[in-house]
Amino acid sequence: MNVVSKIKGLRDWFPVPQKSGRLNIVRWVLLEGNWIAVTSALLSFVFATLMLVGTLWTFEMQVLLTETPAVQTILNTLLSGIILLVSIVVSINSIVLSHDISSIDTQENRIKGAIEFRRDIGNMTEAGESPSDPASFLNLMATVIHDRVTALEEVAEESEGEVAQDIQGYVDDISETVELIGGQNKDTTGAEFGVLWLGLGVDYGEYLDRSRTLRGTYDSKMSDTFNERVDDLVQAFQMFAIGKEYFKTLYYTREVAHLSRTLLIVALPSILVTASAILAINGGVLPEVWVFGLSPLLSFVATVFTIALAPFLVLTAYMLRLATVAQKTAVAGPFSLQ
């Protein structure tokens, strides 16, 4: 395993310092971290918080457990919530996956559309490349857009004054974006969400709008070749937009399916532990073993509550990421929400 692979694997589990030396914890939680690592961090935070509060807030845990129904009431509520949560998420998963359950005509049109799209992508390159994964797609589109914006720059060199400045500024902006995508994408693999995020972060709507503005403003001052180069660049951005939205849809489908499967796995032990804790408290069968100098009752309560909250924390880890992707990609063509 090379150094790059080790760093990438480390980034999945722990935030890795950026070039500035800072740790971007928020970005790691929302976009980069492995969902198991994020969920484990949330579980550890909940457990540590409960232990800290129980240690600093000096109340009689024995009295709280044996003479008041507060803990049992909360655990009963959590037990009902776990069952309801799993039912709702599985229902949502069924709705999402129902998109794949359709008639043969719909499936045929979908497959034909995908084949036609890949054919159009292949026609944009001399080698006829037709990528099927996010990494290859981003690499190819970065190359195509770079070549076409370079061709536009060569034609625009004949212009002077304000026209040349506007076009050169537009070309420079696109070149920086393409260089960013192509450079970062070299160290990623097609199945990683980090690859998809490189494409999601590109506001192609702005470039489409500026392309049409340039053509409309300088149509009478520029040659037909210039207009053709602009059209070629617009076509490349349109193909990039379609591919980006398609891969985003595949990502949503995969993540929702993973969420449902994970919740079903986590919910069962969580229900068993919560129900057993309710019975133990009701029967007065409480632990009396000290571990690392920690109060048995405090450790018992903190552990039970953390396990009871595990399904909710799993849902939180997934939904934070899905909601972030939805927010960052609220764009359709030249229209976007800033």
Side-chain angles (χ1 to χ4, degrees), residues 47 51 55 289-296 299:
F47 180 80
M51 293 295 296
T55 302
V289 180
W290 290 76
V291 180
F292 301 112
L294 300 175
S295 171
S299 302

Side-chain angles (χ1 to χ4, degrees), residues 83-105:
I83 298 174
L84 180 61
L85 174 66
V86 173
S87 301
I88 293 175
V89 172
V90 172
S91 298
I92 294 175
N93 180 51
S94 300
I95 295 174
V96 174
L97 295 182
S98 65
H99 174 70
D100 294 329
I101 305 174
S102 56
S103 64
I104 189 171
D105 292 336

Side-chain angles (χ1 to χ4, degrees), residues 213-224 226-227:
T213 300
L214 282 176
R215 179 168 181 176
T217 303
Y218 304 117
D219 186 27
S220 59
K221 300 179 181 180
M222 304 300 293
S223 63
D224 293 338
F226 171 80
N227 293 330

Side-chain angles (χ1 to χ4, degrees), residues 142-256:
T143 302
V144 170
I145 293 175
H146 178 269
D147 293 342
R148 295 194 175 188
V149 77
T150 301
L152 176 63
E153 183 179 21
E154 293 174 354
V155 175
E157 289 178 352
E158 305 172 359
S159 306
E160 297 179 354
E162 183 181 355
V163 178
Q165 293 179 359
D166 288 348
I167 296 176
Q168 188 60 47
Y170 175 57
V171 168
D172 291 341
D173 289 343
I174 296 178
S175 299
E176 291 178 2
T177 301
V178 171
E179 183 179 357
L180 178 65
I181 296 176
Q184 294 185 10
N185 196 26
K186 293 179 181 179
D187 298 331
T188 54
T189 60
E192 293 180 352
F193 173 69
V195 178
L196 183 61
W197 173 245
L198 294 177
L200 297 181
V202 177
D203 186 4
Y204 59 85
E206 177 185 355
Y207 296 129
L208 288 174
D209 187 49
R210 290 180 64 183
S211 297
R212 296 188 178 94
T213 300
L214 282 176
R215 179 168 181 176
T217 303
Y218 304 117
D219 186 27
S220 59
K221 300 179 181 180
M222 304 300 293
S223 63
D224 293 338
T225 303
F226 171 80
N227 293 330
E228 291 177 0
R229 295 290 185 270
V230 173
D231 290 340
D232 291 342
L233 189 57
V234 169
Q235 181 192 24
F237 277 118
Q238 289 175 343
M239 300 301 289
F240 170 80
I242 295 172
K244 187 189 89 165
E245 296 301 319
Y246 177 68
F247 282 120
K248 185 177 71 173
T249 302
L250 293 181
Y251 171 77
Y252 281 145
T253 303
R254 186 193 67 180
E255 290 301 293
V256 172

Side-chain angles (χ1 to χ4, degrees), residues 4-201:
V4 174
S5 299
K6 291 181 179 179
I7 294 177
K8 286 162 54 183
L10 183 63
R11 184 182 293 112
D12 288 340
W13 291 93
F14 303 99
V16 175
Q18 300 176 341
K19 293 181 179 180
S20 61
R22 298 180 179 179
L23 290 175
N24 196 332
I25 303 296
V26 175
R27 181 181 177 86
W28 178 81
V29 172
L30 297 179
L31 295 171
E32 296 179 349
N34 184 290
W35 72 266
I36 300 179
V38 175
T39 304
S40 300
L42 292 175
L43 288 170
S44 301
F45 174 77
V46 170
F47 180 80
T49 301
L50 292 173
M51 293 295 296
L52 180 63
V53 171
T55 302
L56 298 179
W57 186 18
T58 57
F59 55 84
E60 291 293 338
M61 187 67 68
Q62 183 70 36
V63 174
L64 180 63
L65 289 176
T66 58
E67 298 184 9
T68 64
V71 175
Q72 289 177 287
T73 301
I74 295 175
L75 290 178
N76 276 314
T77 304
L78 290 175
L79 182 60
S80 301
I82 293 171
I83 298 174
L84 180 61
L85 174 66
V86 173
S87 301
I88 293 175
V89 172
V90 172
S91 298
I92 294 175
N93 180 51
S94 300
I95 295 174
V96 174
L97 295 182
S98 65
H99 174 70
D100 294 329
I101 305 174
S102 56
S103 64
I104 189 171
D105 292 336
T106 303
Q107 294 290 350
E108 181 182 8
N109 293 333
R110 187 183 304 173
I111 297 300
K112 286 183 177 179
I115 294 175
E116 183 178 354
F117 174 75
R118 295 187 63 182
R119 185 185 302 115
D120 293 340
I121 292 293
N123 293 336
M124 300 176 69
T125 62
E126 296 181 358
E129 298 180 45
S130 182
S132 59
D133 62 90
S136 301
F137 174 77
L138 286 179
N139 275 327
L140 178 62
M141 292 310 303
T143 302
V144 170
I145 293 175
H146 178 269
D147 293 342
R148 295 194 175 188
V149 77
T150 301
L152 176 63
E153 183 179 21
E154 293 174 354
V155 175
E157 289 178 352
E158 305 172 359
S159 306
E160 297 179 354
E162 183 181 355
V163 178
Q165 293 179 359
D166 288 348
I167 296 176
Q168 188 60 47
Y170 175 57
V171 168
D172 291 341
D173 289 343
I174 296 178
S175 299
E176 291 178 2
T177 301
V178 171
E179 183 179 357
L180 178 65
I181 296 176
Q184 294 185 10
N185 196 26
K186 293 179 181 179
D187 298 331
T188 54
T189 60
E192 293 180 352
F193 173 69
V195 178
L196 183 61
W197 173 245
L198 294 177
L200 297 181

